[in-house]
Amino acid sequence: MRTFSSTSTSLPVPSPMSRRLFLTATGALSLGAALTACGGGDSGGSSAATKPVSQADIDKAMKTPTELTFWTWVPNIDKEVALFEKKYPAIKIKVVNAGQGTPQYTKLRTALKAGSGAPDMVQIEYQAIPTFTITNSLLDLRPYGASALKGQFVDWTWGQVSGSDGEVWAIPQDTGPMGMLYRQDIFDKHGIDVPKTWDEFAAAARKLHKADPDVYLTNLAANQVAAWHGLLWQAGAKPYVTSGKSDISISVDDAVSRKLGEFWGGLAKEGVIGVEPDFTDAWYAALNKGKYATWITAAWGPVFLSGSAKATAGKWRAAPLPQWDTAKPSSGNWGGSTTAVIRSTKNPIAAAQFAQFLNSDPASAKMFATEQFFFPATKSLLTDADFVGDAPTFYGGQKVNQVFADISSTVNASFQWPPFLDQAATDWTETVGKSLADKTDTVRALGTWQTRLTTYAKNQGFTVKGS
């Protein structure tokens, strides 16, 4: 997950989502298979609320010699792990890179089905959590003290790791609140103000491309399903609402979705935005030569861009996304992951304590921000003077972390993901994404996406409600 197939830079980037799209992030299971693939017995407890583990039992477990296996793709995470092992010398952590995103999830499902070979803890992206909770594969961390950490994390991130009955399925690690990076020099040259609304954004796109046909305000392509979901999130959409294990509402063709379809599809048809695939050699070259005046991205974008568009150093600035309603500022999220505990672990106390320590211990959490350049999930780091006060020369001395820290507080906490995200992403790419690339009717494509996804969900045994 740390690199795209065509990337030319090895620069550390701040989010597991930042250098690949999530269209293949999770694998689909039929509902019948999901309900029987529960990952190797009841050794880790059930998803229902259980009696809290006593502090005495926690103290005993943390002093008992134990080896835990942790699957993660995060580079150089041994540094954070060492902090845990220093505090709990009886516990040894075996770090394994079992793949980045999809390959890891595939191996994990195979191990769970086999009843052996699964890790104790696992790196898991926010949008992948429902894929594993529907199979009862993750340990509810409430009995192990996780609920006490809620106030340390940005509210919306806690919503992403929480179940409908209050379960805590994972501990947030990093995030990707969405904003806009823009070329100050291009804006100045053409007399364009930073757009505060999407209407202003559209007007700027037309003005810029008319003035210079070789330049586009931005790019939205057929492989940007992650960005599309983030834009849905910002607009207040609720494309997937689950209830229990078998009921889901699918609304990817509702009024909010159509508003986005009309907007972006219209700009694509007009030819005033680019539609080439991003994270390709051609896209990197385009950024370096000034083909695009903005990049709709997330909080990991500033570090990523500084390594991918070095020829443009000093020319970029950061701003919030344009708004649909300026009286109610909002944003979506694109990227970030968590640490979860696999339900079949033989050492649930130690595993749960590791997941909590790794992401809430002040030194460990700050190390993610300074070593891996992850964008924080903790409130304390988002107000840390050193972090928000950083003023990189690539952005003309602007405090870009502060910009995205402010944006983070506007992300809606109620957005949900489906338990078959890979199918939703594939169907989007082949319908909505294709309409953008082909400059055809995006609103009509939304209807096709709705139909395809509804049919798929029903075939998997879900009861579907839709728009």
Side-chain angles (χ1 to χ4, degrees), residues 352-411:
Q353 294 306 304
F354 173 80
Q356 294 174 71
F357 176 95
L358 187 68
N359 301 306
S360 67
D361 175 77
S364 182
K366 189 164 188 175
M367 192 175 287
F368 281 121
T370 57
E371 294 288 332
Q372 287 89 6
F373 301 101
F374 284 8
F375 197 79
T378 61
K379 294 176 180 177
S380 61
L381 274 174
L382 291 175
T383 57
D384 181 86
D386 290 338
F387 179 74
V388 299
D390 186 44
T393 56
F394 188 89
Y395 294 93
Q398 183 187 22
K399 297 178 181 178
V400 291
N401 284 345
Q402 182 67 70
V403 174
F404 281 96
D406 292 340
I407 292 171
S408 183
S409 66
T410 69
V411 177

Side-chain angles (χ1 to χ4, degrees), residues 179-193:
M180 182 178 72
L181 301 180
Y182 66 95
R183 285 282 297 268
Q184 182 71 66
D185 58 326
I186 296 176
F187 276 32
D188 288 346
K189 178 181 178 179
H190 295 283
I192 296 172
D193 294 327

